[in-house]
Amino acid sequence: MFEKSLWVFHLNSGSCNGCDIEVLNIFAPRQDVERFGIKLVGSPRHADAIAFTGPITRESLPKAVEALKAVPEPKLLLAIGSCACGGGIWYDTYAVIGGVKEFYKILKEEYNIEPPTTIYIPGCPPKPEAIIYGVALARKAVKQKQKKEIYIEELNEDMRREIAEILFSEAKGTRHFLPNIVVKTKEGEESES
Amino acid sequence: MILDILRKNDAEVIRHDERLIITSVPNEKLEEVAKELFSANCYYATGVGVDERGMSQGFAIYHIFNSENEGKYIVIKTFARNLTIPSITPVIEGANWAEREAMDMIGIKFDGHPEPERLILPDDWPEGLHPLRKDFPYNKRPPSIKPKSRVKKKDPNTIEVPVGPYHPALHEPESFELYIKGEEIVEAKYKGFHVHRGMEKLAESRMTINQIPFLAERICGICGFTHSCAYCQAVEDAAKIDVPERALYIRTLLLEIERIHSHLLWFGVVFHLLGFESGFMHTWRIREDFMNLAEILTGNRKTYGMNLIGGVRRAIDESKKRKVMRIVEGSKRDTVEIFDNVMGMRELLNRMENVGVLPKKEARGIGVVGPTARGSGIDTDVRIDHPYAAYGELEFKVPVYKTGDVLSRVLVRYEEVLESFWIIEQVLDQLPQGDIINENYKIPEFAIGLGATEAPRGEDVHFLITERENKVYRWHPRAPTYNNLPALPIMLVGEKLADAPVIIGSIDPCFSCTDHVSIIDAERGKILWKGPLNEGVRTWGG
């Protein structure tokens, strides 16, 4: 999808700075991702991707929506850090929305916007290597290692079909990068994708 | 002398030892006491509103003063009568935000406050809901109300330049409205905090006393360790816990590593704002070593998770010591080399010299802290004034510069970095043997504790009241940027627009620290200074 240079607009949606300095860190000499054509830009209108750091506070919500709207299609959202991924430690306090998943609900209900393709980079803060890996994933430069695992003691034919249906409907209903799915049973492993 | 003032005004002294005085002052005497303390060279640190219905008789406010001369903090408690307390803002400017914070979060009214308007909560928050009252559930998200629309005054001779909340020169969401005539800034407004996450309420409701060090660390991703350290000190102060000496030395080591990494990061940002990109790259290259060092010592590059109540989690062995020494030696050489080059670059120095001047008198009035104060000739440092961790046993200098411009703030931080290298060498040299944690303690009920540390940006104060069942009744951190922000309009007015980013950057603003409690409203968070700088008259409020 993004095989060439990825320009990123970095939006601090209520982060503690930890993720922000790690995002800046990947542009410093040790990692220097500009050599891959990744660049921070000053306006969302110039960006291919928007990077959220922080649990999205009540105050920053309208601004985050505006910024996301301004990014041209096709767009990508990088949720950097545990807070952006799922709200982190503040997931249910009065002052925050609670991560991009809640943000997408609000986007759909109140603004009627389809959520963009999303890459989740958890960690508190994620290491620079993890952030680079996430971006590389978006560019299809690496294969996704993460798997969704389901453990079932005994598996019969009906259940197998049922599970497969649920998983595929999950995959259809979302534009997110779906992890490879492995169903584990007592006898061994069976994989679907 | 402080005790004389307190006794004269019928104050009841609850606790008095070598580092803290806690008193209770009658409602009507508060203004008098505040005035006298302020004239006795005690500057205002912070104010904490507490919903005390669970422990005594209603609502109270705790005003905290710092007496550098006597090396003590003074906590003054006053109960509200019919939810009303006399305001001390007319006497002490610095109390303005703290009182409005209590107004918003607890619902106490302040009699005689010059601008009793909403400060903390977002514009769409319903009236009459106060999140820090004990009957407000921490996870309640009230529906938005339509905020009152504000009428903007427009002056045809000036142009408004909005900076932020998302601006390429700023890496955090904050917003400034600069009004310019030609290229000169004639007015600066500070607007909208965006990082209020409801931390205090979360700590008081969902978490226990020994989980909060990790929450405190997440106040800020840059100076988090100093926050968790201040919190642990507050609990240790309240519960009278003895911390083993080895743990104190390890805390000191990490505090200094954090200071170096924070200052190097800041140098990079300032060089970047001045257009000196190679300076940014070089300082961040040196800083990377300290991130690795932190990973070696604690297991994480940032958010160390090292502090526990009564000590630290990991010890430092001989091989780690050697690694630290090696990195410190190399980095010291690199830092000195870069600064030798920077000091020889006239074009860079010209952009910092006499830019964004903060005179000493103004600085003292606002009560700025940390390198911003030391750049304006105020000799203040918590490490010297109220020694904590192992600083009492170490030897180091506190650099002070008098000019008050951006360059002096750069130089103060540069010399601090060199001092930090020296402190690290001393700590490693003198690191005592023994335990790293004292787990043998009991937390008393409703005990008051206060912890203060010198964060990279200045004085960091944590106030705490304990509760039974391993909980915290009230916890209030005050970050240094809270005190330094009001100085920005003074620095900005009269300067060129192109210098605005570096002036804003020069106080090393940390908005995530400040916003954990506050969201400042557009119209009311402002300080105006109209007209040219030399004959300007500063007027507060609308």
Side-chain angles (χ1 to χ4, degrees), chain B residues 376-423:
Chain B
S376 292
I378 300 170
D379 187 2
T380 166
D381 192 318
V382 185
R383 294 177 293 175
I384 299 276
D385 301 331
H386 311 273
Y388 60 97
Y391 288 114
E393 293 153 37
L394 303 172
E395 179 205 310
F396 60 98
K397 286 198 299 258
V398 177
V400 178
Y401 280 80
K402 284 191 176 140
T403 34
D405 54 4
V406 174
L407 183 63
S408 64
R409 294 193 273 277
V410 170
L411 289 172
V412 163
R413 287 194 173 89
Y414 170 56
E415 287 188 22
E416 266 183 43
V417 169
L418 296 184
E419 287 300 316
S420 295
F421 285 130
W422 167 228
I423 293 174

Side-chain angles (χ1 to χ4, degrees), chain B residues 249-282:
Chain B
Y249 270 81
I250 293 172
R251 274 184 191 172
T252 312
L253 175 68
L254 287 167
L255 283 167
E256 289 309 315
I257 287 175
E258 191 174 71
R259 191 181 318 278
I260 292 173
H261 117 78
S262 174
H263 281 354
L264 286 173
L265 175 145
W266 179 82
F267 290 136
V269 171
V270 163
F271 291 155
H272 167 75
L273 292 174
L274 291 171
F276 178 37
E277 286 295 328
S278 42
F280 164 72
M281 290 296 175
H282 278 298

Side-chain angles (χ1 to χ4, degrees), chain A residues 1 31 38 59-60 84 106 121 137 165-166 183:
Chain A
M1 187 166 142
Q31 271 87 20
I38 301 164
E59 182 87 7
S60 71
I106 292 169
I121 305 169
L137 207 65
E165 258 170 37
I166 291 169
V183 179

Side-chain angles (χ1 to χ4, degrees), chain A residues 107-159:
Chain A
L107 268 188
K108 251 191 168 164
E109 281 166 16
E110 286 178 25
Y111 299 87
N112 201 16
I113 301 172
E114 275 295 312
T117 317
T118 310
I119 295 215
Y120 295 92
I121 305 169
C124 188
K127 285 187 168 196
E129 291 84 356
I131 299 173
I132 296 170
Y133 178 76
V135 177
L137 207 65
R139 290 176 55 176
K140 302 252 167 75
V142 289
K143 249 194 116 185
Q144 188 160 15
K145 288 180 200 161
Q146 178 205 12
K147 285 174 188 150
K148 184 173 185 175
E149 293 195 353
I150 300 167
Y151 182 78
I152 297 161
E153 289 252 310
E154 276 170 51
L155 193 71
N156 59 35
E157 198 53 41
D158 285 356
M159 275 175 79

Side-chain angles (χ1 to χ4, degrees), chain B residues 409-455:
Chain B
R409 294 193 273 277
V410 170
L411 289 172
V412 163
R413 287 194 173 89
Y414 170 56
E415 287 188 22
E416 266 183 43
V417 169
L418 296 184
E419 287 300 316
S420 295
F421 285 130
W422 167 228
I423 293 174
I424 289 177
E425 282 166 19
Q426 287 179 66
V427 167
L428 291 179
D429 198 35
Q430 300 172 18
L431 190 68
Q433 294 299 321
D435 286 341
I436 55 165
I437 188 160
N438 170 12
E439 286 179 309
N440 194 10
Y441 58 82
K442 223 179 151 211
I443 308 278
E445 193 184 348
F446 300 135
I448 296 172
L450 192 108
T453 55
E454 180 76 15

